[in-house]
Amino acid sequence: RPPCLYYMLLPSRITSRKNIRHKLYKKATALLSHQSESIITKTHTHPRHTHTYLSSSFIMTILSTTRVGGEKGGKYLRVKHESSSTKTEMTFGLFLPSVLDRSAEAAESAKVVPVLFWLSGLTCDDTNFAITAGSRAFDMAEKQNIAIVMPDTSPRGDDVPNVDSWYLGFGAGFYLNATKLPYATHYHMLSYITLELPTYLSTNFPGIDTSLKSITGHSMGGHGALTIAFRDPPSWTSVSAFAPICHPTRCPWGEKAFGAYLDG
């Protein structure tokens, strides 16, 4: 089974859940990088998988690149960068359809593909969608010439506040801007998704037309997709959700999470 499914099969009452998820995150990263290839031939920080370079406005590290659907298919990238919103390094997945390879010169002067933002649910990271749905989703995106961006669900790092809980901290950013300490410093996922990431994609991947962006997600990600799109409808071409959390403040764990993140 893919590493991300292991946690789903464990008993619901378990100690050190965050430690287990951290180990599964490392396993998932290793799995995705195992068959990857670098698309850049300059100096690599890792012989095959990692390349760091200075783009026009950002430092970006491509952790891995995997060709999806054969030699003529699209590419799945995992990208790490410094975030001004969360004040941490952030990692996101990105599927690029092969039309961008064929239209490389045209992409420099004209945006050619729309982009779908996928927001994952509680306890997930940037890899879950790619592992569980990627083969089918990427195949359809390739046929429709659509890019898919898969951000992480929270900031992470040694200096980022975290607790051993599935509904708060790492993997549970709820796509909001926290206003209460200690989370207010780093947990600014709303700004990251709506402001920073679209600009980052437009700047570093010129074939993506971020004026034609849609948003969807599952569970916590469905909640994020709905609240983000309803806050600013003109910015999104479409919005949808899979089994979204629709009223998190009307349940005990939601009250605790939102009470920890937000004032009032």
Side-chain angles (χ1 to χ4, degrees):
R1 296 183 180 91
C4 66
L5 298 184
Y6 292 172
Y7 179 72
M8 298 168 61
L9 300 176
L10 294 175
S12 58
R13 293 182 180 274
I14 189 168
T15 60
S16 300
R17 288 170 173 160
K18 287 298 179 76
N19 291 334
I20 292 174
R21 288 201 297 274
H22 178 68
K23 293 179 180 178
L24 297 183
Y25 177 80
K26 295 176 68 175
K27 288 184 179 179
T29 300
L31 176 66
L32 289 172
S33 298
H34 180 64
Q35 296 179 333
S36 66
E37 59 175 332
S38 175
I39 61 172
I40 300 172
T41 58
K42 298 178 182 179
T43 303
H44 291 63
T45 56
H46 185 284
R48 283 178 54 82
H49 309 310
T50 306
H51 176 75
T52 304
Y53 65 95
L54 182 63
S55 69
S56 57
S57 57
F58 301 94
I59 294 178
M60 177 169 63
T61 300
I62 297 180
L63 299 175
S64 63
T65 302
T66 305
R67 182 70 71 173
V68 182
E71 293 182 359
K72 297 183 179 180
K75 294 176 180 177
Y76 166 64
L77 289 71
R78 291 189 70 232
V79 181
K80 182 171 68 174
H81 69 106
E82 292 287 341
S83 169
S84 59
S85 300
T86 65
K87 299 179 178 62
T88 66
E89 289 185 335
M90 294 294 293
T91 301
F92 64 86
L94 179 65
F95 173 77
L96 298 174
S98 61
V99 67
L100 294 182
D101 291 341
R102 300 192 299 270
S103 306
E105 294 182 2
E108 292 297 328
S109 59
K111 308 296 185 183
V112 294
V113 300
V115 59
L116 174 66
F117 281 61
W118 169 267
L119 307 184
S120 289
L122 285 163
T123 77
C124 293
D125 54 54
D126 66 284
T127 66
N128 289 78
F129 180 83
I131 294 174
T132 57
S135 59
R136 289 169 291 176
F138 295 162
D139 180 62
M140 185 58 66
E142 168 69 15
K143 293 176 180 178
Q144 299 297 326
N145 292 331
I146 298 173
I148 305 176
V149 60
M150 297 146 276
D152 202 349
T153 54
S154 74
R156 302 174 192 266
D158 294 338
D159 297 329
V160 178
N162 184 37
V163 294
D164 187 17
S165 170
W166 56 270
Y167 58 79
L168 185 64
F170 290 180
F174 274 97
Y175 306 104
L176 51 74
N177 286 345
T179 59
K180 185 181 292 186
L181 293 174
Y183 301 100
T185 302
H186 298 290
Y187 283 76
H188 291 171
M189 292 300 293
L190 176 62
S191 295
Y192 178 71
I193 298 296
T194 60
L195 300 175
E196 184 175 358
L197 193 51
T199 300
Y200 188 91
L201 292 172
S202 181
T203 301
N204 292 281
F205 301 93
I208 296 177
D209 187 353
T210 53
S211 69
L212 294 174
K213 62 182 185 294
S214 300
I215 191 167
T216 187
H218 168 250
S219 189
M220 177 185 72
H223 173 267
L226 294 175
T227 55
I228 286 173
F230 291 165
R231 287 169 64 98
D232 185 17
S235 292
W236 302 94
T237 302
S238 70
V239 57
S240 57
F242 295 83
I245 298 173
C246 291
H247 208 338
T249 58
R250 293 297 298 272
C251 59
W253 59 265
E255 292 176 357
K256 292 178 181 178
F258 279 68
Y261 286 138
L262 302 174
D263 291 307

